[in-house]
Amino acid sequence: MNKTISIATLVIAAMTVTACGQQSEQKAEQTRNATAASTPEQQALMEREVVSARKITKDFVGSLKGELKKAMQEGGPVNALSVCHTRAIPITNEVATRHGVRLSRVSLKNRNPNNAPNEWQRPILEEFDARAAKGDDPKALAFATIVEVDGKKQFRFMKAMPAGKVCLNCHGAELKPEVAAKLKELYPEDKATGYSLGQIRGAVVIVKDL
Ligand code: HEC
């Protein structure tokens, strides 16, 4: 039996505060406890894991973007598509091994059929979209929780990935015909197009057994 108990959950969002006509960003951290109130030890553990997860996310996104940039420069988006197709998963696994965690990317409109969210990831992605729609900065949206699965503690982290300009070459609403053709060939069930600038494309997921 797979029993999951939530110990502590942290939803991290950014609120845009307008003060004296100037826009400044204020980080708002909200703690929701599903079962018992979390202890100071649990909160300290959560904070450590969140700091580490942010570093892993940076490393991961940096590795992916580095490869993407190189492939785009070498042969444009069609070449980069093939590179993403063959390299995205191996890069994910390399970074995961380096940090001793499980790592993935998920989306409500996934391109790779393996990147569909599971039952705990889907509501978080939906919450990210809802918060962005209400005006939260998508770049600042993250989620962290510590749960107990079959008596063992597990840390779970998700960070929203907004679509930047370069992303729209392959995820946008207006694709070059050769890009659309290549996508059809590589991903016949692709759902990951039609995005606009700043829209949440998906999320990085980190899972770590504590
Ligand atoms: C050159 C084309 C290309 C560009 C540019 C591109 N992607 Fe992708 N993206 C892909 C491909 C191909 C996949 C599927 C990779 C695989 O098979 O694992 C993918 C998958 C993803 C996924 C995993 C979920 C899914 O749909 O399978 C996310 C999240 C994602 N891309 C976000 C981005 C973001 C954010 C950017 C901009 C920084 C970006 N992509 C730029 C081609 C691209």
Side-chain angles (χ1 to χ4, degrees), residues 65 80 84 105 110-112 115 166-167 170-171 187 201:
K65 279 194 183 160
C84 276
R105 288 187 303 167
N110 51 304
R111 173 156 291 166
N112 185 322
N115 294 339
V166 68
C167 317
C170 304
H171 295 295
Y187 301 94
R201 172 66 268 276

Side-chain angles (χ1 to χ4, degrees), residues 190-204:
D190 185 25
K191 290 182 261 185
T193 58
Y195 284 86
S196 48
L197 194 65
Q199 206 184 339
I200 297 173
R201 172 66 268 276
V204 168

Side-chain angles (χ1 to χ4, degrees), residues 79-181:
N79 172 57
L81 258 180
S82 300
V83 174
C84 276
H85 180 62
T86 52
R87 290 289 298 143
I89 297 292
I91 290 172
T92 307
N93 295 338
E94 278 160 34
V95 180
T97 307
R98 189 150 74 228
H99 295 282
V101 296
R102 272 174 278 162
L103 199 57
S104 54
R105 288 187 303 167
V106 293
S107 173
L108 292 168
K109 290 185 1 167
N110 51 304
R111 173 156 291 166
N112 185 322
N114 296 324
N115 294 339
N118 67 17
E119 77 282 0
W120 70 262
Q121 295 157 355
R122 178 174 296 276
I124 309 303
L125 286 171
E126 286 166 355
E127 181 165 347
F128 284 169
D129 279 345
R131 280 173 181 261
K134 276 194 289 180
D136 277 355
D137 178 2
K139 285 200 287 296
L141 289 171
F143 164 88
T145 189
I146 295 173
V147 293
E148 222 174 85
V149 185
D150 293 334
K152 281 193 202 128
K153 275 205 189 103
Q154 187 180 76
F155 171 73
R156 295 172 174 175
F157 178 82
M158 282 176 74
K159 174 139 188 356
M161 294 182 83
K165 200 166 163 236
V166 68
C167 317
L168 302 182
N169 280 301
C170 304
H171 295 295
E174 284 159 41
L175 302 174
K176 285 190 182 151
E178 61 271 28
V179 171

Side-chain angles (χ1 to χ4, degrees), residues 10-18 23-30 54 127-143 158-160 162 200:
L10 189 72
V11 182
I12 307 154
M15 292 188 305
T16 306
V17 180
T18 311
Q23 284 216 321
S24 69
E25 265 188 6
Q26 187 191 316
K27 220 182 213 175
E29 301 206 341
Q30 230 178 293
R54 287 193 180 283
E127 181 165 347
F128 284 169
D129 279 345
R131 280 173 181 261
K134 276 194 289 180
D136 277 355
D137 178 2
K139 285 200 287 296
L141 289 171
F143 164 88
M158 282 176 74
K159 174 139 188 356
I200 297 173

